[in-house]
């Protein structure tokens, strides 16, 4: 019985990962909304996680999958802190547009 990775091929996972990373990078570079920027960063992080899991499965080493687990835990904490900061900024400034935040430089 063949594994899923052998049936589909690692190239498909890498193409999907590259596509997701590019979508996240373009979203991060082109959008000025703080929440959309957080979502773009998460898409980029998940693209990297997908590559790590694909290579981990290819080499039949669970270390990559364990690293992805820790990466997802850190990402969840990062999003919680980031969203709390954005809510605080929205309450003080009334907008989460990054261009509006340039006024905070002093």
């Amino acid at each position: 019985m063949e594994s899923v990775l052998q049936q589909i091929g690692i190239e498909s996972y890498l193409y999907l990962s590259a596509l997701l990373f590019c979508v996240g990078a373009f979203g991060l570079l082109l959008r000025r909304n703080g929440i959309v920027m957080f979502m773009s960063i998460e898409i980029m992080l998940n693209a990297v996680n997908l590559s790590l899991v694909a290579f981990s499965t290819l080499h039949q080493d669970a270390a990559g999958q364990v690293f992805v687990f820790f990466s997802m835990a850190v990402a969840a904490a990062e999003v919680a802190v980031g969203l709390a900061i954005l809510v605080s900024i929205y309450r003080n400034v009334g907008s989460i547009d990054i261009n509006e935040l340039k006024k905070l430089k002093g």
Side-chain angles (χ1 to χ4, degrees):
M1 182 170 189
E2 294 182 23
S3 70
V4 174
L5 189 62
Q6 291 171 339
Q7 292 174 353
I8 297 175
I10 193 164
E11 299 87 13
S12 300
Y13 289 102
L14 294 179
Y15 289 138
L16 178 63
S17 176
L19 178 69
L20 286 174
F21 192 86
C22 289
V23 167
F26 284 123
L28 184 65
L29 293 175
L30 298 178
R31 300 296 299 264
R32 298 286 88 192
N33 187 323
I35 292 177
V36 174
M37 292 175 79
F38 270 130
M39 288 173 31
S40 298
I41 291 171
E42 288 298 316
I43 289 173
M44 292 169 57
L45 186 62
N46 284 328
V48 172
N49 287 341
L50 178 64
S51 293
L52 281 173
V53 169
F55 281 118
S56 174
T57 304
L58 178 69
H59 295 291
Q60 298 186 355
D61 184 16
Q65 295 172 9
V66 171
F67 185 76
V68 166
F69 179 73
F70 286 116
S71 171
M72 290 174 70
V74 170
E78 172 248 331
V79 166
V81 171
L83 286 177
I85 290 171
L86 281 178
V87 167
S88 176
I89 289 172
Y90 182 76
R91 286 183 181 165
N92 289 326
V93 178
S95 173
I96 54 172
D97 187 13
I98 299 301
N99 292 328
E100 295 288 328
L101 299 179
K102 289 181 181 176
K103 296 175 186 173
L104 298 177
K105 287 183 179 176

